[in-house]
Amino acid sequence: MTNIPKLYQQCWVVRIQEALSDKNPLKLSFLSRHIKCLIIFSLCLGLIFLSGFFRMKHKDYTISKSHKELLIPFMPCHAKTNVMFLKTHKTASSTVLNIMFRFAERYNLTVALPADQLVHLGYPSTFLARFVEEFQAIGQNYNIMCNHLRFNPSEVQKVMAANTFYFSILRNPIPLLESSYIYYKHVAPAFRISKDVNEYLASPMKYYRPADYKQNIYARNIMWFDFGYDNNAKDNKKYIQAVLKEIEQNFHLILIAEYFDESMILLKHTLCWDLDDVVYFKLNSRSQDTVHTLTPESEEQIKAWCSLDWKLYLHFNQSFWRTIEETIGLEELEKEVSRLRTRQKELMETCLLDQEAVGKDHITNKALLPFQSGDANILGYNLKQDLDSRTLRTCQKMVMPELQYTSYLYAVQHPHKKRKQLGLPLLWTTFQKKTQPPAPN
């Protein structure tokens, strides 16, 4: 009776003594009934104590949950199949596009593909719904949108369902601009007339003409432009804060290219997808011998020259890690990243002849040769020759470059339309049998 208040204990002691001394059957009956009540009462108090103990033991786990999860701790997780990915330039977005295309194929989803012979959704023009093939016939019934476009929320919403999940990816503007310089060397006039990236950055306004914005977009604040904003806008604090707030309202998640594996795990959790839905081979990367070393002065100049992109990146890099801490937690993230890399290694051993990406001159199957641009040597893959048909298809999809995959899906979804003229063979012509979306996690 140690858990019972003291006054209550004294009362029970007097009653027990009276009943035993009188040996009165009624009092003894009374005593028997109340002893049972006392035992039950003590058991209840014991359970309350144990409950408090275990709650203390799992305090760290409870705190790591978000407020919403605490309110609905057992809320079921259903895979999201209506997804819009804003594909930004030179941010590992071609790898994300491959992930999105494979998911669409796996569950026979409808992709909002570029109309006619386009390989992008009207870029660099601001996106319009009519840039999507058969929009007038299909309407707001597309599941996936992920080809290059310049974001225009009102027009995107005409194509995608109201419950669509929106996400994008950013990259540190310093390596991004160097990559853009090499990749778009012969496209952007500012790059074309400068000798190298360091010379360009030493005096960008000597080469850059804001009026040539459709050609020079790659030369300054390219991510800001992709999100639909003026990449030549002045660096005004009030303006920047308004844009950042608007992006937060339009997008549910912003990933970070420098932490690509961590980004894929966060995406997997947020969309309630399987591990194999986000496993990948790195696509559209270039050989190290085409990477130019930036001087310290050039790196600092990029922060000023691309200040809109720089502040965009810093803001969402912080929110990225905050989201991870509030949802997955760093310890669990590390475990899942390890599982992702293990699965990736397994698939590379299964699929790849060379176990790594190879230069353009060493890709034997030219149907899998990535588009080559500027001074970059874009890497690709060679597949093993002894794969069974099912494994071969899986491996082909994982290494298929962006233009080839877009052309293939277009032919599958719109078989009566003229194929996009990329000179690429169709390795298979129909979707696999439709499967159900992933089971809840």
Side-chain angles (χ1 to χ4, degrees), residues 13 142 151 157 198 217 221 312 317 351-352 378 386 428 435:
V13 169
Y142 294 90
F151 192 62
Q157 287 163 13
N198 288 305
I217 52 176
N221 293 313
L312 177 72
N317 185 42
C351 295
L352 304 182
I378 305 300
D386 56 347
W428 57 94
T435 57

Side-chain angles (χ1 to χ4, degrees), residues 287 289 353-354 356-366 368-370 372 377-383 385:
S287 60
D289 62 345
L353 185 64
D354 307 286
E356 61 182 2
V358 298
K360 59 184 179 181
D361 296 331
H362 299 284
I363 299 171
T364 55
N365 184 352
K366 298 308 177 184
L368 296 177
L369 178 68
Q372 304 293 317
N377 178 3
I378 305 300
L379 306 177
Y381 296 94
N382 289 318
L383 298 178
Q385 300 299 309

